[in-house]
Amino acid sequence: MCRVHRYFRGLMEYIFFTDSSLIKGVNIPKSNVGFRKMCKICSAAETLFDKKGFYETSVADICGLAKTAVGTFYIYFKDKTAIYTYLVRNYYVVIKNYLNKYVVDCKSRYEMEREGLKAFIRFGHTYPQCYKIIWGCSYIDPALFEDYYIRFAKSYTDALKKYNEELVDVDYSTMAWVLMGVANFVGLKVLLKHKRLMEKELNSLVDDVMKLLSSGLFLNPPYPADKAAAGDGH
Amino acid sequence: MCRVHRYFRGLMEYIFFTDSSLIKGVNIPKSNVGFRKMCKICSAAETLFDKKGFYETSVADICGLAKTAVGTFYIYFKDKTAIYTYLVRNYYVVIKNYLNKYVVDCKSRYEMEREGLKAFIRFGHTYPQCYKIIWGCSYIDPALFEDYYIRFAKSYTDALKKYNEELVDVDYSTMAWVLMGVANFVGLKVLLKHKRLMEKELNSLVDDVMKLLSSGLFLNPPYPADKAAAGDGH
């Protein structure tokens, strides 16, 4: 059975599966002390990959910031690529968990998309390094990059299929990639402003995006297409 | 005055502005022979950055593939970062020119969005390295990455504003980022299939995307929202 260990370091969550075979080159510790050490190393690596880039960061740099011996690093990770792979895979789980938290109580797919989009933008704004680490992956490990997005799209498509009674009849895989693109780029728009994100501003942005999408996506959008088009609010 | 030199190398176009001050660390040659040499170097760099990554590629590797002396590289580029910057800036111009070619004769904004989306997907499929080079930029040169997307969004927003009579009344900057996200991620969906792209398949994909977007974007979409929603074609 695969047990899950979850640790928070600052604002960031690190999730470890006891089934270490999930990630090549990653060895999962047997004790809580080990998990806490591993978590410190991950947090340091993430900070340095963000600040200096993957290639300019050495294992010694990571251990220096994590205040652990270099030997400790190699107990848990085969090399720098293994920890990078772990971080990308961890984002996959952390982002999905973060979004789920916000959509779990939603009453309709419309509400789920709205709350999910809002949560995604907030996540990207809170952890701006995630764009760099995930998109930079297209360079550092193209297969990992592909796997990340193909898995995300597959899971999004499956989720949309369950709500087919609320959605228009198109290929749900296409719908999933459209929605992923919208969330990623609207999130990027917010991020590149380099400003604090106010709840009011976020709501108004998400309202605009939902106005653009709702009549094309949902069979019975909450705001009639003509009203949304006229921009007369709701 | 800024003169423009355009060269094709294989399928890829390289555009050089005689106003070399546009890109830091790039020196524009004075002769056609010089331009052709520079173009060979750019093409080799692009191939190697795609295959081996930016960090694993050396100036000597680039010159080896381009069959030029290492000294020649340094006549035109201060270092490896300068040629990378040039390539990203060149993509900006080449992608915009490529899209413009397909939308220039369009009669409506709807048609422009449809043909532009189709052209963007085709471009990404023909030059898959562009994703790696542009998104990898978020790591290699974050300021260049930001500049790339902020300029793209600004120019897209300005283009949308000119068609405000055909478009719904939302913030056009948000609309631009939404459309950029859709094009990038639907293009990625196509790319990650690693298959030949047939015209029929591309048309059907673009039809699906336009069905999802048209009623939310356009005041008078060509296909009524209810018909698109029922998926009964057109």
Side-chain angles (χ1 to χ4, degrees), chain A residues 1-34:
Chain A
M1 207 193 84
C2 171
R3 277 185 57 212
V4 179
H5 293 254
R6 312 170 74 128
Y7 293 86
F8 280 89
R9 178 100 195 146
L11 282 168
M12 193 64 202
E13 188 179 12
Y14 297 97
I15 299 168
F16 302 100
F17 298 94
T18 46
D19 181 357
S20 68
S21 65
L22 283 175
I23 302 170
K24 223 177 119 186
V26 177
N27 295 311
I28 297 297
K30 290 187 176 58
S31 70
N32 270 332
V33 175

Side-chain angles (χ1 to χ4, degrees), chain B residues 94-104 106 111-127 130-131 183-184 187 190 197 199 202-203 206:
Chain B
V94 169
I95 290 175
K96 294 201 76 138
N97 286 355
Y98 187 89
L99 300 183
N100 278 339
K101 228 172 31 191
Y102 287 91
V103 304
V104 71
C106 290
E111 219 186 298
M112 285 173 89
E113 290 305 329
R114 192 189 185 283
E115 294 310 310
L117 173 64
K118 218 176 127 178
F120 188 89
I121 296 170
R122 204 189 295 107
F123 186 91
H125 191 263
T126 315
Y127 312 107
C130 72
Y131 276 90
N184 272 276
V190 170
L197 181 62
E199 187 69 14
L202 177 59
N203 269 321
V206 170

Side-chain angles (χ1 to χ4, degrees), chain A residues 134-135 137-138 141-149, chain B residues 135 188 192:
Chain A
I134 299 165
W135 287 11
C137 184
S138 63
D141 187 343
L144 181 63
F145 174 80
E146 293 200 9
D147 177 70
Y148 181 93
Y149 277 116
Chain B
W135 287 10
L188 192 60
L192 299 190

Side-chain angles (χ1 to χ4, degrees), chain A residues 49 53-56 132 136 138-140 146 149 169 173-174 177 181 184-185 189 192 194 205 208 212 215-216 229, chain B residues 49 53-56 132 136 138-140 146 149 169 173-174 177 181 184-185 189 192 194 205 212 215-216 229:
Chain A
F49 290 163
F54 175 77
Y55 292 96
E56 272 82 2
K132 240 190 234 181
S138 63
Y139 234 131
I140 295 160
E146 293 200 9
Y149 277 116
D169 181 25
S173 161
T174 301
W177 283 94
N184 272 276
F185 272 69
K189 170 185 163 67
L192 298 189
H194 299 286
L205 176 67
D208 268 0
L212 288 173
S215 57
Chain B
F49 290 164
F54 175 77
Y55 292 96
E56 273 82 4
K132 240 189 232 181
S138 63
Y139 234 131
I140 296 160
E146 293 200 8
Y149 276 116
D169 181 26
S173 161
T174 301
W177 284 93
N184 272 276
F185 273 68
K189 169 185 164 65
L192 299 190
H194 299 287
L205 176 67
L212 288 173
S215 56

Side-chain angles (χ1 to χ4, degrees), chain B residues 82-185:
Chain B
I83 196 169
Y84 184 82
T85 308
Y86 165 74
L87 288 175
V88 174
R89 290 275 162 87
N90 189 52
Y91 269 125
Y92 183 86
V93 184
V94 169
I95 290 175
K96 294 201 76 138
N97 286 355
Y98 187 89
L99 300 183
N100 278 339
K101 228 172 31 191
Y102 287 91
V103 304
V104 71
D105 293 325
C106 290
K107 301 280 178 287
S108 66
R109 191 69 215 179
Y110 173 87
E111 219 186 298
M112 285 173 89
E113 290 305 329
R114 192 189 185 283
E115 294 310 310
L117 173 64
K118 218 176 127 178
F120 188 89
I121 296 170
R122 204 189 295 107
F123 186 91
H125 191 263
T126 315
Y127 312 107
Q129 70 271 31
C130 72
Y131 276 90
K132 240 189 232 181
I133 291 180
I134 299 164
W135 287 10
C137 184
S138 63
Y139 234 131
I140 296 160
D141 187 344
L144 181 63
F145 175 79
E146 293 200 8
D147 177 70
Y148 182 92
Y149 276 116
I150 287 174
R151 281 174 66 196
F152 220 116
K154 166 101 182 54
S155 138
Y156 207 152
T157 307
D158 291 345
L160 290 170
K161 277 181 190 162
K162 288 186 196 148
Y163 290 81
N164 65 324
E165 287 182 6
E166 298 180 36
L167 295 166
V168 300
D169 181 26
V170 294
D171 176 24
Y172 290 134
S173 161
T174 301
M175 193 187 271
W177 284 93
V178 162
L179 289 169
M180 281 159 63
V182 169
N184 272 276
F185 273 68

Side-chain angles (χ1 to χ4, degrees), chain A residues 211 225-234, chain B residues 168-170:
Chain A
K211 251 192 223 175
D226 55 339
K227 280 203 179 178
D232 61 358
H234 37 270
Chain B
V168 300
D169 181 26
V170 294

